[in-house]
Amino acid sequence: MRSQIIHHERVDSTNSEAWRWLDRASDTTKQLEGTAIAAKQQTKGRGQRGHTWQSDLGGLYLSVIVQPNISATHASQITLWSAWGIATALNTTGANVRIKWLNDLLVDGRKLGGILTETRIEAGVVTDAVIGIGINWLNNVPDGAIALSDLATNITDLDRLTELVWAGVMQGRDRFAREGIEPILSDYVTLLSERAITTQHLGREHKGYISDITTTGDLVVIWEGSSQPSIYRPSTFSLGYHSLG
């Protein structure tokens, strides 16, 4: 099956455009599997938890359609294998990309990009998913972030970066189809930017260690002074950049 990358100069959101393509497609076909929407600029880019994703010219803004037919309880696996695939693909170019659970891409502790996965669920199954990816390339970046163009890689232009990131998502999807999530999780954990974490709660500092990621994408932390692991859902716990040890 040949997939395609559809390029736009400007859209409201590549994720929104991907959903429009899905809504126009026949419910009985899989013709959009692997199709991607790319734009040079977004006017209403979306980030995690309802935040706006700043989408200035020069960045990579890409959404990839997949139709995984997995249990809704395992929806986070889509982000896990996408993050692993993208980081692995970028690291072939000379970059040293790491992952911050669940969906951020970092270099030297600074944010390079992020992933927003949106899903459509029917009868407890994820029938369609749109994987939105934003990566800093030549765009202006906020304090604490980093642009890929500032690194010593063999990526020469935005088109090459777009193809590489799309290929990384497809690599993750194909490996997931062949092997399941467990081998990917093992490699995902090795790509974590930090495993020691520090948080503040009720005025006290708490230190812990990320021991694992579950097959449902939950974070497993062992806190100092406790021998029992604590498990956190992505929607209930966030590793802010200040919390990295």
Side-chain angles (χ1 to χ4, degrees):
M1 180 183 300
R2 290 183 63 117
S3 298
Q4 56 183 332
I5 301 176
I6 301 161
H7 292 269
H8 295 270
E9 290 293 316
R10 183 174 177 176
V11 296
D12 54 352
S13 158
T14 57
N15 269 28
S16 295
E17 181 65 10
W19 284 116
R20 288 190 284 266
W21 275 79
L22 278 163
D23 289 340
R24 290 192 295 263
S26 167
D27 292 339
T28 61
T29 68
K30 295 294 184 182
Q31 62 184 3
L32 293 182
E33 175 76 19
T35 295
I37 309 296
K40 292 183 179 179
Q41 191 173 17
Q42 298 181 116
T43 59
K44 296 180 180 178
R46 297 197 292 277
Q48 290 288 331
R49 299 178 179 86
H51 294 163
T52 298
W53 185 271
Q54 186 174 334
S55 306
D56 296 334
L57 285 169
L60 177 141
Y61 313 112
L62 180 74
S63 295
V64 184
I65 296 170
V66 294
Q67 295 166 308
N69 287 314
I70 61 173
S71 168
T73 59
H74 291 153
S76 291
Q77 292 180 358
I78 302 168
T79 301
L80 292 169
W81 53 249
S82 296
W84 169 80
I86 295 167
T88 300
L90 291 177
N91 286 344
T92 66
T93 72
N96 182 25
V97 178
R98 314 293 285 182
I99 298 170
K100 181 170 79 70
W101 177 84
L102 174 76
N103 61 305
D104 282 351
L105 303 170
L106 277 64
V107 172
D108 296 331
R110 299 162 67 186
K111 187 168 181 175
L112 175 71
I115 300 167
L116 173 66
T117 302
E118 298 175 335
T119 59
R120 177 176 291 154
I121 297 170
E122 297 179 8
V125 173
V126 179
T127 57
D128 302 299
V130 172
I131 305 159
I133 305 121
I135 292 180
N136 298 321
W137 171 240
L138 287 172
N139 54 300
N140 294 324
V141 301
D143 292 340
I146 193 168
L148 195 59
S149 61
D150 293 332
L151 307 176
T153 73
N154 60 18
I155 302 172
T156 56
D157 55 48
L158 186 57
D159 286 343
R160 172 60 182 146
L161 176 58
T162 300
E163 293 170 0
L164 189 68
V165 170
W166 174 85
V169 173
M170 293 296 98
Q171 180 183 7
R173 182 205 64 170
D174 292 346
R175 186 182 182 192
F176 174 73
R178 292 193 313 269
E179 304 176 17
I181 197 62
E182 286 84 0
I184 296 174
L185 277 177
S186 177
D187 291 341
Y188 178 100
V189 169
T190 66
L191 284 170
L192 288 175
S193 59
E194 296 282 351
R195 296 185 68 173
I197 61 173
T198 302
T199 64
Q200 297 286 335
H201 182 64
L202 299 177
R204 295 182 57 192
E205 185 177 83
H206 298 266
K207 294 185 177 182
Y209 178 79
I210 299 172
S211 63
D212 204 1
I213 309 289
T214 72
T215 57
T216 53
D218 299 346
L219 187 73
V220 183
V221 178
I222 297 177
W223 296 104
E224 280 188 359
S226 174
S227 60
Q228 297 298 316
S230 298
I231 300 176
Y232 301 96
R233 294 284 296 153
S235 59
T236 62
F237 188 79
S238 176
L239 289 176
Y241 288 87
H242 63 279
S243 70
L244 299 178

